[in-house]
Amino acid sequence: MSARINNLITRRKFLQISGALAAATAVTNPCRVLYALTRDKGEITPNEIREVFSACDMCFNKCGLIAHVENDVIKKLDPNPKSLKSRGMLCARGNAGVKQLYDPDRLKYPLLRKGARGDGKWQRLSWDQALDHAAEKLDKIGKDYTRCGFLFMAGTDMQSTFVHQFAEAYGSYNVISHESNCLLSRNRAFLDTYGVMPTPDVLNCKYVIMPGANRFEALVTPDSMDLMTAKGNKSKLVVLDPRFTKTAALSDEWYPIKPGTDMAFFLSLAHVIISEKLYDKTFIKEKTFGFEELREHVKKYTPQWAAKETDIPAKDIARIARELAAAAPSAMVYPGRRSSDYEDSTQIRRSYAIVNALLGNWDQEGGLQVPKKIKPGSMHIEAPFYEDNPDDRVDAGRAQMMFDEEGSFKHTRDAVIEGKPYPIKGWMTYKTNPMQTGANRDKTIQMINSLDFMMTVDIAMSDTAWMADLVLPAPSYLERQDPLSAFLASSTCSGVITRDPVVPAMFESKPVFWIVKELAKRLDLGEFFDFTVDDFRKAQLKKIPQVAKALKEDGVYNITGPSFGIHKDKPFKTRSKKIEFYNTRYKDKGIDPMPVYKQPKAIPENHFRIVVGRNAYITQSASTNNTLLWELQKENHLWIHPKSALSLGIKNHDMVKVESSAGKVRIKARVTEETRPDTVYMDTGYGVLSKGLTNIFGKGACIAQILEDKADKISGNMAMHETFVTVSKT
């Protein structure tokens, strides 16, 4: 079915949320802010007012901002109009960054667990005591289990590079990232088709198909703003999503596609485009490999066949294919970000990439682009060699084509629990919360309980910190000096941004760079961290001196100019040197060289498929306890369709039990037509175990408690849409 939506009411509600937050962050009572401050200096000069450049860290986007500071207190955060990436915008989460800084729930000093993990009993330590203890554990585990017996995991952060560098110097190649719970199957698919992960130019696109992505709520700069501008310029937006999201509300057409059938839809689009010869013959001949194989492959994937799989009418599938091809090359299937869906997610994303290639939108305005990107220098280290280390990562061989530099949280966790192929007994996490973001929370707890030592560096007592043995307080992004970070920004090309402290670090918080540097000294590895952040920046700027001036004057360095037409006649970084419809590397590894549709598992009787997603003010689990954002959503709810709710005797706001093979939770129901009758949903970041998160403790339910831990077979990406649940009134 399809739905044409009245956009005005939904858009007004959405803008009111951001506007209310922007007003709320202008602090009018300094006393309410100062209660959280600690000062060890004398009087402050009255009315000392200044403006300081920084980059937001309330999600991964790093939008440019200007902090208004009065007497060393941040009163307001505004967007930096010079930041082309963020389009002069600071969203609801960005505005709430002040409350992350002045949060009474912040970690204030090092804490050592006393008693059982999760009991919440802590002993305050000095930094010397904490670092000595951590170094002793790192040394012992390295000697007892090899250096690979210690695992490192860092979130998306401008200082995460120092955690990776410390792991390298320490000698462990067991390093995993948050991205293995999020987007690696997308990256794998596009790299294996184009040889690079392209950037979508939605600003100039005439026709966008958006499968699953929720750009008007799960904000990604600049795509979210550019998509709105493009719509104002008569671009057409088609959304495929089992939920009626804000993006669906503002689309031209919304199809509540049957979960797990996206590949069927896109292979059918390919069928229509090829069978009706709607493609650019010259582009296909010169730029692609395996077209004849693809032609034969998609013959059976007709719109009539796809309609039965997807619940989307055949006439609409055929019409969309024709409209998409007519708008080409300024047309696209949006690559999306959240790709941790199914066990064949890489192949699903390959079907997106293949349709894009059929549109000939590579390196075209309004298509998929690879803008020029500045690459800062670095400080390379020659890490020591440890003869007793094992041959490979602990999760090696568990996925067909895993990214070694990212790893797989799901497969690593399994290996740690099993103790195979070798034991891991230590874990350091930085700015990531796998207790909330990794499917099957009970298995994460099982993994943690198998360790001899776990340490967490974070700004707040997350659920992951709550389970750790040693918790170290980190400053917020507004108190830190960071390295440079290069960024891509769609049709605005690219740039560089950095951070300097806006205000002095509060309490006893220390940046992770300082922490790993101090640990390196204690482990006789000081030579590998014999530099400052200033030194690191100088190395980054060595070949790009023009960047330093722009950062000082504007807070950002932008590279402007066209992002399309700059790769003409350049070979692709694939085996064939072309865009690969047919992937011979896959064939060599026993993987289907083209996406082969396999019908998703049928939903058992009296069950629902549960899906994950985002809204405009939650960043994974990192912002649910933020006082300003919490005022907008104090708990999560289970979305359930009225037809399904009626059959179960459930009314709006009733307390229900949601249960899977992984676990069970209790949560209030939200009875709504904004989800399919066979699909339920809840927001991430609630149902916390940590009593250190006072706003949300005891509120809502944890989706990680009930998600089963399946994985994409190719990339090892966590597959979070493979879970079936029962729902009953309590």
Side-chain angles (χ1 to χ4, degrees):
M1 75 184 84
S2 69
R4 303 252 177 198
I5 308 302
N6 182 334
N7 294 342
L8 296 178
I9 296 176
T10 307
R11 182 179 301 175
R12 187 178 300 118
K13 283 183 67 179
F14 179 70
L15 294 176
Q16 282 173 348
I17 289 173
S18 291
L21 274 173
T25 55
V27 181
T28 58
N29 182 355
C31 293
R32 296 188 64 191
V33 174
L34 293 172
Y35 76 91
L37 295 174
T38 59
R39 298 190 179 279
D40 54 11
K41 295 186 178 181
E43 293 290 327
I44 302 170
T45 303
N47 299 320
E48 181 187 345
I49 299 172
R50 53 196 174 91
E51 293 184 343
V52 186
F53 293 121
S54 189
C56 184
D57 197 37
M58 293 298 287
C59 74
F60 62 87
N61 280 298
K62 304 181 187 71
C63 293
L65 62 82
I66 299 173
H68 296 263
V69 186
E70 184 174 337
N71 295 341
D72 263 351
V73 176
I74 298 178
K75 306 298 287 294
K76 192 175 188 294
L77 299 176
D78 280 332
N80 181 353
K82 296 291 183 71
S83 175
L84 298 182
K85 181 181 192 294
S86 49
R87 300 288 197 272
M89 182 205 77
L90 204 59
C91 74
R93 290 172 296 180
N95 274 278
V98 172
K99 280 296 185 182
Q100 185 194 64
L101 172 65
Y102 300 127
D103 182 357
D105 281 350
R106 276 188 60 170
L107 292 165
K108 300 174 178 64
Y109 32 75
L111 295 170
L112 178 68
R113 176 177 62 83
K114 307 299 288 185
R117 287 190 174 110
D119 279 357
K121 297 176 182 178
W122 305 98
Q123 175 188 343
R124 178 176 179 175
L125 298 182
S126 69
W127 269 107
D128 278 338
Q129 289 172 320
L131 293 165
D132 289 346
H133 180 69
E136 180 183 338
K137 293 293 186 180
L138 282 155
D139 185 58
K140 179 173 172 41
I141 288 171
K143 289 175 179 175
D144 291 349
Y145 301 101
T146 80
R147 296 300 177 113
C148 286
F150 212 101
L151 171 68
F152 297 84
M153 185 175 185
T156 304
D157 184 80
M158 287 161 71
Q159 290 211 6
S160 291
T161 184
F162 299 130
V163 177
H164 288 252
Q165 189 164 329
F166 177 77
E168 187 178 0
Y170 174 76
S172 176
Y173 27 78
N174 285 314
V175 181
I176 51 176
S177 73
H178 163 76
E179 277 75 9
S180 69
N181 285 333
C182 185
L183 54 77
L184 293 188
S185 59
R186 179 205 67 173
N187 294 358
R188 180 81 273 168
F190 278 83
L191 281 169
D192 294 342
T193 306
Y194 290 89
V196 69
M197 182 63 224
T199 300
D201 178 21
V202 294
L203 179 64
N204 299 299
C205 194
K206 298 174 184 175
Y207 201 111
V208 180
I209 298 179
M210 189 161 284
N214 184 13
R215 279 294 75 87
F216 291 145
E217 291 188 86
L219 300 175
V220 171
T221 57
D223 290 3
S224 300
M225 294 84 76
D226 285 355
L227 190 60
M228 186 68 79
T229 301
K231 279 190 56 59
N233 293 333
K234 307 302 182 184
S235 172
K236 184 166 184 177
L237 174 63
V238 176
V239 170
L240 312 178
D241 200 311
R243 291 195 303 131
F244 183 66
T245 62
K246 294 291 191 298
T247 307
L250 296 175
S251 68
D252 297 280
E253 297 179 31
W254 166 58
Y255 295 90
I257 189 169
K258 183 179 179 181
T261 65
D262 291 44
M263 189 195 295
F265 179 85
F266 289 106
L267 291 176
S268 183
L269 293 189
H271 168 94
V272 175
I273 292 170
I274 292 174
S275 64
E276 298 185 8
K277 296 182 172 58
L278 303 178
Y279 51 87
D280 183 328
K281 297 179 180 61
T282 301
F283 180 89
I284 295 298
K285 181 179 179 180
E286 295 180 354
K287 301 290 186 183
T288 69
F289 173 80
F291 179 72
E292 291 305 320
E293 289 88 343
L294 179 67
R295 185 202 299 274
E296 290 300 312
H297 182 65
V298 299
K299 278 184 177 179
K300 62 183 178 182
Y301 296 124
T302 66
Q304 293 72 25
W305 166 84
K308 296 176 183 177
E309 296 295 320
T310 63
D311 291 343
I312 299 175
K315 61 180 179 58
D316 287 331
I317 295 173
R319 173 182 54 80
I320 289 169
R322 294 167 188 144
E323 291 176 353
L324 190 67
S330 294
M332 72 173 69
V333 180
Y334 185 78
R337 182 173 174 85
R338 170 152 292 284
S339 55
S340 51
D341 302 331
Y342 303 96
E343 291 178 305
D344 59 346
S345 274
T346 294
Q347 293 285 29
I348 292 172
R349 265 67 196 174
R350 276 264 292 152
S351 72
Y352 299 4
I354 284 169
V355 172
N356 277 305
L358 288 173
L359 299 175
N361 65 13
W362 167 257
D363 200 26
Q364 297 289 324
E365 185 175 25
L368 301 186
Q369 306 172 352
V370 180
K372 298 173 184 174
K373 184 179 180 182
I374 274 205
K375 187 175 181 180
S378 62
M379 297 189 75
H380 178 70
I381 69 167
E382 287 292 338
F385 177 73
Y386 298 89
E387 291 185 355
D388 61 340
N389 262 351
D391 293 332
D392 213 334
R393 298 175 52 93
V394 74
D395 52 1
R398 293 182 180 237
Q400 293 167 314
M401 294 179 68
M402 185 181 71
F403 292 103
D404 282 346
E405 66 273 19
E406 305 286 355
S408 165
F409 174 71
K410 183 267 191 295
H411 291 316
T412 296
R413 186 178 63 186
D414 286 347
V416 174
I417 292 171
E418 296 164 11
K420 297 177 181 178
Y422 52 84
I424 284 184
K425 292 298 179 180
W427 190 14
M428 176 184 178
T429 68
Y430 170 60
K431 204 194 168 191
T432 186
N433 189 15
M435 281 284 292
Q436 278 281 345
T437 59
N440 199 330
R441 183 165 72 177
D442 283 352
K443 284 187 73 171
T444 306
I445 294 172
Q446 184 183 358
M447 169 192 173
I448 293 170
N449 284 333
S450 73
L451 302 172
D452 291 347
F453 177 68
M454 177 182 173
M455 60 185 291
T456 291
V457 183
D458 212 330
I459 189 173
M461 186 65 83
S462 67
D463 275 0
T464 301
W466 189 252
M467 292 297 295
D469 301 296
L470 182 67
V471 179
L472 303 178
S476 75
Y477 66 96
L478 294 164
E479 304 161 287
R480 269 189 2 216
Q481 181 187 34
D482 282 342
L484 306 183
S485 178
F487 61 80
L488 289 177
S490 188
S491 56
T492 61
C493 213
S494 56
V496 178
I497 203 157
T498 190
R499 296 191 188 101
D500 285 304
V502 176
V503 292
M506 291 166 54
F507 311 113
E508 296 180 18
S509 61
K510 298 288 186 182
V512 78
F513 170 73
W514 182 88
I515 292 170
V516 296
K517 184 171 182 173
E518 289 295 316
L519 288 173
K521 289 178 185 176
R522 287 164 168 79
L523 293 166
D524 294 326
L525 298 170
E527 63 185 287
F528 302 106
F529 282 87
D530 188 21
F531 59 90
T532 65
V533 175
D534 274 331
D535 296 331
F536 193 88
R537 278 193 193 171
K538 287 175 183 176
Q540 290 182 297
L541 289 165
K542 188 173 182 179
K543 294 183 180 179
I544 48 172
Q546 72 276 20
V547 173
K549 184 174 183 289
L551 290 174
K552 183 177 180 180
E553 294 177 355
D554 300 329
V556 63
Y557 176 79
N558 298 300
I559 305 174
T560 57
S563 297
F564 57 91
I566 61 179
H567 296 278
K568 187 178 180 181
D569 300 327
K570 291 183 180 179
F572 293 86
K573 296 178 181 178
T574 60
R575 180 181 279 187
S576 66
K577 309 301 181 186
K578 294 184 176 184
I579 299 171
E580 296 198 340
F581 294 127
Y582 186 95
N583 191 297
T584 57
R585 289 180 64 226
Y586 278 27
K587 183 181 179 182
D588 291 347
K589 290 179 176 290
I591 302 170
D592 290 327
M594 293 179 292
V596 176
Y597 178 74
K598 299 178 179 64
Q599 196 172 62
K601 297 170 187 172
I603 301 175
E605 188 177 359
N606 300 321
H607 283 67
F608 302 87
R609 188 184 295 274
I610 188 166
V611 297
V612 300
R614 296 286 177 260
N615 65 39
Y617 29 89
I618 294 175
T619 307
Q620 286 91 31
S621 62
S623 61
T624 47
N625 196 61
N626 183 291
T627 302
L628 283 172
L629 300 172
W630 173 74
E631 287 291 343
L632 295 172
Q633 181 164 313
K634 296 187 176 182
E635 60 183 312
N636 59 350
H637 295 77
L638 183 81
W639 294 27
I640 185 169
H641 193 275
K643 179 181 176 182
S644 305
L646 180 64
S647 69
L648 296 170
I650 295 170
K651 296 180 180 178
N652 202 33
H653 299 304
D654 278 353
M655 189 65 70
V656 298
K657 180 175 73 173
V658 186
E659 188 169 5
S660 72
S661 66
K664 56 186 175 183
V665 298
R666 295 176 73 252
I667 187 173
K668 292 178 183 176
R670 177 178 179 238
V671 179
T672 175
E673 293 184 350
E674 296 174 2
T675 186
R676 286 173 54 100
D678 59 0
T679 305
V680 294
Y681 164 82
M682 67 174 75
D683 282 326
T684 303
Y686 295 88
V688 301
L689 300 177
S690 171
K691 294 180 181 178
L693 303 174
T694 58
N695 286 331
I696 58 170
F697 180 74
K699 306 293 196 305
C702 175
I703 192 172
Q705 183 69 37
I706 54 175
L707 289 175
E708 298 170 357
D709 58 321
K710 304 293 178 65
D712 172 52
K713 293 177 181 177
I714 295 177
S715 69
N717 204 153
M718 191 78 83
M720 295 191 185
H721 285 179
E722 295 281 9
T723 303
F724 301 125
V725 299
T726 58
V727 180
S728 57
K729 185 176 178 180
T730 61

